[in-house]
Amino acid sequence: MNAMSARPGGGRDLLRLDDVTKTFSNGTTALSGLSLAIRENEFVSLLGPSGCGKSTALRLIAGLGEPSGGRVEMLQARADASGRFDRGIGFVFQEPTLMPWGTVFDNVYLPLRLRGRRRARVEGDIEEAIGLVGLSGFENAYPRELSGGMKMRVSIARALVTRPRLLLMDEPFAALDELTRFRLNDDLLGLWRKLGWTVVLVTHSVYESVYLSSRILVMAARPGRIVAEKPVDRPYPREESFRTSSDYNAYCRAVSKALSLATEGAK
Ligand code: ADP
């Protein structure tokens, strides 16, 4: 099933975590017995209270750290013949973490520069990534000249310029005002469908996870684990009409309930 299909996630597994445990050197067990599989083109949210191990899980998926037990397997981690995807994983953090001394162009160029790609050869790719996030014309602007939402757009462009197959996002919109957040949610969904990514998003917002995801994995803390799985079986594109529909409200209620059970259970 391709990214344009109404119900994503019918594809093959792209990523598997099998009985993953993570205990830090101070003795904190952040994750225990975490198993999940993510299929190509899915948009999956990891939803849970603060401290339940969402970021730890995302970092292990990104290869930033090793599990203490179990396995993290990235499948089909090769470039595809069309050149549409690189082998890489894109990561968008909660803070846009831009270089203040670099322009928008310089910041989006960074991951390619780190791969030894000459600026002149990738100019077109960089312009394209900046265009995809709606920032054409701001190539020469510096981060201090940009709003929070625009900085996050630069951060997304920087992740997508490497053509990742898998995009990992750690609460990317948490610090933004609601209108900006809604707009970025819509633009992210548009990019996801257009570019055929698989997305794993960490969030603690029920509303955001229902709006965006094809599937929500609800986590509980102490130790971090998945306690419920909620498919959001509604077609894409999802627009404002979905956000105000009774369907959307019903999903939000069901997911909220699973989340409060998770939170209660962990006390
Ligand atoms: P979440 O993203 O759901 O808020 P985290 O994955 O950040 O949760 O953290 C899960 C647990 O692991 C928390 O108790 C946190 O304090 C602990 N933790 C996270 N990173 C480290 C670390 N580097 N060293 C020790 N403990 C950590």
Side-chain angles (χ1 to χ4, degrees), residues 39-241:
R39 294 184 292 279
E40 275 181 326
N41 300 142
E42 273 196 295
F43 196 126
V44 175
S45 288
L46 298 180
L47 174 75
S50 197
C52 73
K54 304 181 294 295
S55 298
T56 303
L58 208 66
R59 293 175 68 82
L60 290 177
I61 293 170
L64 303 168
E66 290 289 319
S68 318
R71 291 203 317 166
V72 177
E73 249 188 305
M74 182 69 189
L75 305 153
Q76 308 162 345
R78 53 193 151 70
D80 72 350
S82 69
R84 196 156 60 108
F85 296 113
D86 192 347
R87 69 182 62 232
I89 294 177
F91 206 120
V92 177
F93 299 93
Q94 180 171 354
E95 295 295 326
T97 57
L98 304 179
M99 304 180 296
W101 59 86
T103 61
V104 167
F105 188 99
D106 296 333
N107 273 284
V108 176
Y109 172 43
L110 179 69
L112 298 179
R113 181 156 71 87
L114 294 174
R115 290 166 187 217
R117 307 288 302 276
R118 299 257 300 278
R119 190 177 172 112
R121 302 201 61 158
V122 291
E123 253 173 27
D125 293 347
I126 296 167
E127 297 285 351
E128 187 189 10
I130 292 172
L132 282 168
V133 299
L135 285 183
S136 290
F138 289 92
E139 289 82 356
N140 295 320
Y142 286 87
R144 65 174 177 276
E145 303 173 278
L146 305 177
S147 68
M150 289 163 92
K151 285 185 204 158
M152 188 46 74
R153 289 176 185 277
V154 179
S155 176
I156 294 170
R158 187 180 52 192
L160 70 83
V161 79
T162 62
R163 303 186 186 183
R165 182 183 287 270
L166 176 64
L167 186 68
L168 305 177
M169 307 185 93
D170 193 352
E171 303 214 29
F173 309 129
L176 302 175
D177 65 84
E178 196 166 83
L179 257 184
T180 306
R181 195 171 169 147
F182 284 180
R183 202 166 296 144
L184 275 165
N185 280 177
D186 286 336
D187 289 356
L188 173 64
L189 276 187
L191 286 171
W192 167 66
R193 298 182 74 233
K194 184 168 181 173
L195 300 177
W197 290 323
T198 305
V199 177
V200 182
L201 171 82
V202 160
T203 179
H204 56 240
S205 163
V206 168
Y207 304 103
E208 185 167 79
S209 66
V210 170
Y211 187 66
L212 295 173
S213 319
S214 52
R215 192 157 58 103
I216 301 170
L217 301 175
V218 181
M219 294 181 65
R222 277 170 248 119
R225 64 207 188 279
I226 293 170
V227 290
E229 177 176 342
K230 298 274 174 199
V232 183
D233 201 12
R234 303 303 306 150
Y236 294 92
R238 293 183 187 161
E239 287 157 355
E240 211 42 47
S241 55

